[in-house]
Amino acid sequence: MAMVSEFLGKLSLNIGANEPKYPTVVPAKDFDPDKDAARIETAIKTKGVDEQTIIDVLTKRIYSQRREIAFAYERRTKKDMISALKGALSGSLETLILGLMKSTPQFDASEIRGAIKGAGTDEETLIEVLCSRSNDELVEIKKVYKELFKKELEKDVAGDTSGNFAKLLLALVQTKRADPTAIVDYEKIDADARALYEAGVMIKGTDVPTWISIMSERSVPHLQKVFQRYKSFSPYDMQESIVKEVKGDLQKSFLVLVKCFENKQLFFASQLNQAMKSKGAKEKIVTRIVVSRCEVDLKKICSEYKANFGESLQKTIMEHTKGDYQKALLSLCGPEE
């Protein structure tokens, strides 16, 4: 019997611990790093740089293949491929291609570091990355952050933010979120929904620590049910309650969290839509989402985009970006489905 319960214990831990992937960038078939490295060498040496070849090669390989190309390039030329790409490219295309030369957790860690390191904090980036990544992703990001920057992510976040906003981000970075289980605990769903209501809408002021602990420690499927149940206590849904109860960066963070719990790919689709439709396309946001999600769930983001905004992400990219940068984005998104 002990064996069986142990087996079941393991089984329920594995359910949904790893979210399913919907990548647009998949391993290239008949992959030949030496051939790819030679193509990139020629493209960089060409008078005026052959950006198209660089895009064709690097946007159609997964990260581990891009790394092999970089090793092959170094063997061939005795030069570092990343430095060579830096020298050959510029602007938004350079940012995107250099982003692809990092693994997804390395890219996320670098984005967080960039948001913290500058003169002022770039809260927008910090919120988007920390509030939208799964527990598994955050565990990886923390590890990589330490390897890359010789610093603890917790310490950097704490040193750069303050108040309840800092407490929420720290709670997320501490990755205490429960794994999803096959068991639905209706009593706990009810208790959490009531606690969220009693900590906010029901009282004058807001008991923010209660909100933080529930939203940073419960599993995502559990929270989805909590927010459904919440509506039977509160005259406002969770997002409306957040807007009424808290302000500023704390409000933005809670909203991103709740949107991601409810439908993460729709959240990213909305971010892309806003960024591209805003005056002066916010290329930084577009690049960040497309690069960080192309090996994770960009395919699903594309389908949410079309379902919610009436045109494909690819069409919006065509309308709002141009040149080689546009070609690279379209190549990462893959063909319209």
Side-chain angles (χ1 to χ4, degrees):
M1 189 60 214
M3 278 301 291
V4 174
S5 63
E6 193 177 82
F7 170 71
L8 286 174
K10 282 205 179 99
L11 193 70
S12 66
L13 270 180
N14 291 334
I15 293 173
N18 289 325
E19 299 176 357
K21 295 252 171 125
Y22 305 93
T24 51
V25 175
V26 294
K29 297 201 170 50
D30 308 320
F31 172 58
D32 181 345
D34 295 308
K35 202 165 121 194
D36 285 346
R39 285 178 69 194
I40 286 182
E41 186 190 8
T42 309
I44 288 173
K45 279 186 181 163
T46 302
K47 194 172 163 31
V49 184
D50 168 12
E51 286 92 351
Q52 187 63 57
T53 297
I54 294 172
I55 293 168
D56 289 346
V57 174
L58 296 178
T59 61
K60 293 298 182 202
R61 310 286 183 272
I62 57 167
Y63 168 69
S64 56
Q65 293 178 326
R66 293 181 209 122
R67 267 195 54 166
E68 284 188 58
I69 297 168
F71 290 135
Y73 183 94
E74 199 165 322
R75 284 196 299 274
R76 281 183 74 81
T77 64
K78 306 288 174 274
K79 292 194 184 95
D80 172 54
M81 188 170 99
I82 294 172
S83 310
L85 288 167
K86 255 187 195 151
L89 305 170
S90 62
S92 298
L93 179 67
E94 179 190 349
T95 309
L96 183 143
I97 295 291
L98 293 178
L100 290 175
M101 295 311 297
K102 299 180 170 121
S103 69
T104 302
Q106 281 170 353
F107 180 79
D108 284 348
S110 305
E111 288 291 298
I112 295 168
R113 181 74 183 143
I116 288 173
K117 211 177 59 171
T121 309
D122 167 8
E123 285 87 2
E124 206 171 59
T125 299
L126 215 48
I127 292 168
E128 186 204 286
V129 179
L130 292 176
C131 297
S132 69
R133 298 313 188 247
S134 70
N135 217 42
D136 294 349
E137 287 170 331
L138 285 167
V139 168
E140 271 304 297
I141 291 166
K142 281 203 288 192
K143 201 173 86 193
V144 169
Y145 193 93
K146 194 171 182 181
E147 285 163 10
L148 289 176
F149 309 115
K150 309 287 173 270
K151 289 176 169 14
E152 300 288 347
L153 180 56
E154 276 108 319
K155 281 200 180 128
D156 273 5
V157 169
D160 217 58
T161 55
S162 60
N164 282 322
F165 174 51
K167 286 181 186 144
L168 172 60
L169 294 186
L170 276 174
L172 295 170
V173 171
Q174 282 158 357
T175 55
K176 291 185 185 151
R177 190 174 305 291
D179 282 326
T181 64
I183 300 141
V184 179
D185 185 341
Y186 291 102
E187 274 178 33
K188 198 171 176 189
I189 290 165
D190 201 70
D192 281 349
R194 189 187 298 269
L196 287 172
Y197 173 60
E198 288 173 355
V201 174
M202 198 181 114
I203 56 167
K204 193 169 163 35
T206 316
D207 165 13
V208 177
T210 296
W211 276 18
I212 291 175
S213 70
I214 292 173
M215 290 199 216
S216 67
E217 292 171 21
R218 306 292 190 263
S219 77
V220 176
H222 174 81
L223 284 167
Q224 289 169 341
K225 295 183 180 73
V226 169
F227 299 147
Q228 281 304 113
R229 185 77 182 104
Y230 180 83
K231 291 180 202 158
S232 61
F233 294 108
S234 168
Y236 316 104
D237 69 20
M238 200 62 228
Q239 288 190 39
E240 291 164 338
S241 302
I242 290 164
V243 172
K244 286 189 178 308
E245 290 292 316
V246 291
K247 296 283 167 277
D249 292 324
L250 183 64
Q251 181 194 92
K252 285 181 197 151
S253 307
F254 275 133
L255 283 173
V256 172
L257 272 178
V258 171
K259 285 173 184 169
C260 288
F261 296 147
E262 288 174 349
N263 183 338
K264 186 179 288 193
Q265 288 75 28
L266 175 57
F267 164 73
F268 286 127
S270 308
Q271 289 286 94
L272 285 166
N273 186 260
Q274 275 173 337
M276 280 192 281
K277 300 268 163 97
S278 64
K279 275 267 166 274
K282 292 187 178 165
E283 292 181 348
K284 188 177 173 229
I285 296 175
V286 175
T287 300
R288 178 168 65 234
I289 296 174
V290 172
V291 169
S292 67
R293 307 312 287 184
C294 65
E295 292 187 42
V296 184
D297 56 3
L298 187 55
K299 195 175 227 138
K300 204 166 173 201
I301 293 167
C302 286
S303 63
E304 288 290 348
Y305 194 97
K306 191 160 190 180
N308 287 275
F309 302 110
E311 68 173 13
S312 66
L313 176 56
Q314 290 86 338
K315 189 161 182 281
T316 310
I317 289 170
M318 298 280 288
E319 287 164 9
H320 293 277
T321 61
K322 50 188 190 300
D324 292 316
Y325 177 62
Q326 180 193 84
K327 287 177 191 158
L329 288 174
L330 289 172
S331 183
L332 288 171
C333 290
E336 275 187 50
E337 301 233 324

